[in-house]
Short mmCIF file of all heavy atoms in Angstrom, two decimals:
data_model
loop_
_atom_site.label_atom_id
_atom_site.label_comp_id
_atom_site.label_asym_id
_atom_site.label_seq_id
_atom_site.Cartn_x
_atom_site.Cartn_y
_atom_site.Cartn_z
N ALA L 846 -110.24 23.07 93.52
CA ALA L 846 -111.41 23.84 93.59
C ALA L 846 -111.52 24.91 92.45
O ALA L 846 -112.49 25.21 91.85
CB ALA L 846 -111.45 24.55 94.96
N MET L 847 -110.30 25.48 92.08
CA MET L 847 -110.22 26.43 91.08
C MET L 847 -110.56 25.78 89.68
O MET L 847 -111.38 26.33 89.00
CB MET L 847 -108.76 26.92 90.95
CG MET L 847 -108.49 27.81 89.79
SD MET L 847 -106.79 28.29 89.70
CE MET L 847 -106.06 26.62 89.28
N VAL L 848 -110.10 24.53 89.44
CA VAL L 848 -110.41 23.84 88.29
C VAL L 848 -111.89 23.58 88.22
O VAL L 848 -112.52 23.71 87.14
CB VAL L 848 -109.55 22.56 88.10
CG1 VAL L 848 -110.01 21.72 87.07
CG2 VAL L 848 -108.05 22.88 87.99
N GLU L 849 -112.46 23.02 89.28
CA GLU L 849 -113.90 22.76 89.36
C GLU L 849 -114.79 23.92 89.08
O GLU L 849 -115.66 23.83 88.24
CB GLU L 849 -114.31 22.06 90.61
CG GLU L 849 -113.71 20.72 90.91
CD GLU L 849 -114.04 20.22 92.32
OE1 GLU L 849 -114.68 20.90 93.08
OE2 GLU L 849 -113.68 19.07 92.69
N ALA L 850 -114.40 25.07 89.52
CA ALA L 850 -115.05 26.35 89.45
C ALA L 850 -115.04 26.58 87.94
O ALA L 850 -116.06 27.05 87.23
CB ALA L 850 -114.61 27.38 90.35
N GLU L 851 -113.79 26.55 87.33
CA GLU L 851 -113.74 26.99 85.98
C GLU L 851 -114.47 26.04 85.08
O GLU L 851 -114.96 26.35 83.96
CB GLU L 851 -112.16 27.14 85.61
CG GLU L 851 -111.38 28.13 86.50
CD GLU L 851 -111.83 29.51 86.21
OE1 GLU L 851 -112.76 29.67 85.29
OE2 GLU L 851 -111.54 30.43 87.02
N GLU L 852 -114.47 24.78 85.36
CA GLU L 852 -115.17 23.78 84.45
C GLU L 852 -116.66 24.04 84.51
O GLU L 852 -117.24 23.88 83.60
CB GLU L 852 -114.71 22.30 85.00
CG GLU L 852 -113.35 21.86 84.61
CD GLU L 852 -112.99 20.60 85.08
OE1 GLU L 852 -113.69 19.99 85.98
OE2 GLU L 852 -112.14 19.97 84.71
N ARG L 853 -117.18 24.43 85.69
CA ARG L 853 -118.59 24.77 85.77
C ARG L 853 -118.90 25.94 84.92
O ARG L 853 -119.84 26.04 84.14
CB ARG L 853 -118.99 25.06 87.13
CG ARG L 853 -119.07 23.78 88.14
CD ARG L 853 -119.89 24.15 89.39
NE ARG L 853 -119.17 25.16 90.13
CZ ARG L 853 -118.23 24.94 91.14
NH1 ARG L 853 -117.80 23.68 91.38
NH2 ARG L 853 -117.69 25.92 91.78
N THR L 854 -117.92 26.98 84.93
CA THR L 854 -118.14 28.11 84.13
C THR L 854 -118.13 27.90 82.64
O THR L 854 -118.82 28.19 81.77
CB THR L 854 -117.10 29.20 84.48
OG1 THR L 854 -117.22 29.53 85.88
CG2 THR L 854 -117.34 30.49 83.67
N ALA L 855 -117.10 26.88 82.36
CA ALA L 855 -116.97 26.42 80.87
C ALA L 855 -118.10 25.78 80.35
O ALA L 855 -118.58 25.92 79.29
CB ALA L 855 -115.64 25.67 80.71
N ALA L 856 -118.57 24.81 81.21
CA ALA L 856 -119.90 24.08 80.86
C ALA L 856 -121.03 25.01 80.58
O ALA L 856 -121.83 24.79 79.60
CB ALA L 856 -120.19 23.06 82.01
N LYS L 857 -121.17 26.05 81.54
CA LYS L 857 -122.31 26.92 81.24
C LYS L 857 -122.11 27.69 79.95
O LYS L 857 -123.09 27.86 79.17
CB LYS L 857 -122.34 27.91 82.45
CG LYS L 857 -123.46 28.95 82.36
CD LYS L 857 -123.48 29.89 83.51
CE LYS L 857 -124.56 31.02 83.36
NZ LYS L 857 -124.60 31.83 84.58
N GLN L 858 -120.82 28.06 79.68
CA GLN L 858 -120.62 28.84 78.38
C GLN L 858 -120.85 27.99 77.29
O GLN L 858 -121.32 28.42 76.29
CB GLN L 858 -119.15 29.39 78.47
CG GLN L 858 -118.70 30.12 77.13
CD GLN L 858 -119.45 31.36 77.01
OE1 GLN L 858 -119.71 31.94 78.08
NE2 GLN L 858 -119.75 31.76 75.83
N ALA L 859 -120.52 26.78 77.31
CA ALA L 859 -120.68 25.77 76.34
C ALA L 859 -122.14 25.63 75.88
O ALA L 859 -122.54 25.42 74.73
CB ALA L 859 -120.05 24.41 76.55
N ARG L 860 -122.99 25.57 77.01
CA ARG L 860 -124.41 25.47 76.74
C ARG L 860 -124.93 26.78 76.01
O ARG L 860 -125.86 26.60 75.15
CB ARG L 860 -125.10 25.34 78.06
CG ARG L 860 -125.02 23.95 78.67
CD ARG L 860 -125.95 23.70 79.81
NE ARG L 860 -125.88 24.62 80.81
CZ ARG L 860 -125.09 24.44 81.99
NH1 ARG L 860 -124.28 23.38 82.05
NH2 ARG L 860 -124.96 25.37 82.84
#
Side-chain angles (χ1 to χ4, degrees):
M847 175 184 69
V848 171
E849 289 175 1
E851 298 300 346
E852 287 178 345
R853 287 195 299 271
T854 303
K857 180 179 179 181
Q858 179 65 33
R860 288 194 297 271

